[in-house]
Amino acid sequence: MGAEVNSTTYTREQRQQYREKVRQDLDVFERMLTQSSFEFDRPLTGMEIELNLVDEQLEPTFTNAEVLERIADPDYQTELGQYNIELNVEPRPLPGRAPLDLERDLRASLNRAEKLAEEANAKIVAVGILPTLMPEHFTTEWMSANSRYAALNEAIFSARGEDLWIDIEGPSGERLERYADSIAPESACTSVQLHLQVQPSDFAAHWNAAQALSGIQLALGANSPYFFGKQLWHETRVELFSQATDTRSIELKNQGVRPRVWFGERWITSIFDLFEENVRYFPALLPETTDEDPQAVLSAGEAPQLAELRLHNGTVYRWNRPIYDIVGGRPHLRVENRVLPAGPTIVDSMANSAFYYGAIKKLAGTDRPIWTRMSFSAAEENFHQCAAKGIEARVYWPGYGEVPAVELAVRHLLPLAYEGLAEWGVAPEVAERYLGIIEARCRSGMNGASWQIEAVRRFEERGQDRRTALHSMLDLYIEGMHSNEPVHTWELP
């Protein structure tokens, strides 16, 4: 959800004070990287899962406040849209059989939440973009009652000075073109975010590895092919999120001003590179300051909150985001991987996360790292190709040339992931369960997006119009989601 804010509008003086404070925080953070002790007693992983709410007709239901009141669990929070909620998973160690315990606990938590949501006439759906979401659903009050969301909406449109233009064309030739007078389309983008705590000296290698891997993650895990009734990218969420939060006018785009949803533009040598770029390139959206003197706090031997720097960092939407945080008075650093969509099942999400954690371990630790052999622009091109074409995408990879993403995964990246999980100390049966799902997905050519597309095609062949077919597909999807069987095993209509 992000940090709370106290206002939705800001004065020029507040903006100037905030800029000065952010730069002061950045200077202190640079000192901390060379002088401070960051917590890294054991590898910890975390997960956030964004979810959708639908009614009995499988239309979005704008009742998250009532649903959350019934769930009454602090792990569940609001998200941008009133038809969204978020499940935050407590950080856990990766080794041993811990992932199997996490799968069991997540399924139990969602089963409980689903039962309580039904008391509010709602169902919970884990999917990258809710297929039955349509433009008319945003003609009434849609935003959650949270000052941060209202402030972001105001800031983005003040910066743009005009309505958003959404223009996405899919590989199938279908195209969506329309204006938006709020950031409502952003609320359609629901994801799974993976966190990995790392030492400062290892951060750059893990971030670079995550960037290189992100396209393959999308190819294997795409689950967002429909938006406003159109079949667009296999992972439409990537392009929709970019356009729905764009603070730039057309003229600023033409000048090469960087977007706030950003893949980046270079490999890094330190986490400081990312924070410094965020401060240098992006004006404040939420310029709220605190009374903390970070220099004095650091000099006293304590970890400063650096609230302004963290707030600013939270409004630059990198697909792999750097995180500075404090727990129990000790600072730590995390790579937040924001690439994956929600769903289709908990076991699919666990498989996606096992592939990520295993592969990144090996890619970050190799003697001749991938980022010394592949240009950053090639990694970015892989990312967009895989978002557009999903499991059918082709990618470039050193030593393999241009190759189908699934072939690269089976021949090269899955073996690396097995080795990486073993190095993390993950039990062999855990690796077999989750990475076996990824391999079967590759060999079948079926992930969440391709299953949705094929199901809708079959319903349309039987004479259903697109809207009816989307509802029929979602009904089957929800059945499969609750089965917790991997999506590549689901029956098609």
Side-chain angles (χ1 to χ4, degrees), residues 21 63 97 126 132 145 155 236 243 269 288 346 385 457 470 477:
K21 192 68 180 294
T63 56
R97 294 173 54 86
T132 55
T236 304
Q243 294 187 24
T269 59
E288 295 207 355
I346 291 299
Q385 284 294 316
R457 186 188 69 79
L470 288 170
Y477 179 101

Side-chain angles (χ1 to χ4, degrees), residues 27-93:
D27 290 342
V28 171
F29 182 61
E30 185 176 26
R31 282 189 58 197
M32 292 180 69
L33 290 174
T34 59
Q35 299 176 8
S36 298
S37 174
F38 285 79
E39 182 177 17
F40 189 74
D41 297 331
R42 54 180 178 163
L44 289 177
T45 61
M47 181 185 290
E48 301 169 49
I49 306 174
E50 296 168 350
L51 303 160
N52 295 276
L53 300 173
V54 298
D55 59 20
E56 291 296 328
Q57 288 72 46
L58 306 184
E59 301 275 325
T61 180
F62 297 83
T63 56
N64 66 357
E66 183 179 355
V67 168
L68 289 171
E69 183 179 355
R70 289 179 182 272
I71 294 175
D73 183 337
D75 289 344
Y76 289 84
Q77 298 181 0
T78 60
E79 256 299 326
L80 176 57
Q82 289 187 29
Y83 64 100
N84 308 135
I85 58 175
E86 179 178 270
L87 169 57
N88 293 291
V89 181
E90 194 73 20
R92 299 189 181 207

Side-chain angles (χ1 to χ4, degrees), residues 432-452:
E432 288 291 340
R433 173 167 172 75
Y434 297 130
L435 297 184
I437 288 171
I438 297 296
E439 181 174 357
R441 206 187 287 168
C442 290
R443 296 193 184 282
S444 67
M446 186 68 72
N447 62 11
S450 52
W451 186 91
Q452 289 188 54

Side-chain angles (χ1 to χ4, degrees), residues 15 37 39 43 63 72 84 108 111 142 156 170 176 262 274 284 320 339 382 386 401 409 423 455 461-462 471 480 487:
R15 292 185 178 279
S37 174
E39 182 177 17
T63 56
N84 308 135
N111 286 343
W142 62 270
I156 287 172
L176 176 72
W262 200 30
L274 301 177
N320 287 290
V339 170
N382 285 349
C386 291
E423 290 181 13
E461 282 184 345
R462 297 176 188 175
H471 281 74
V487 67

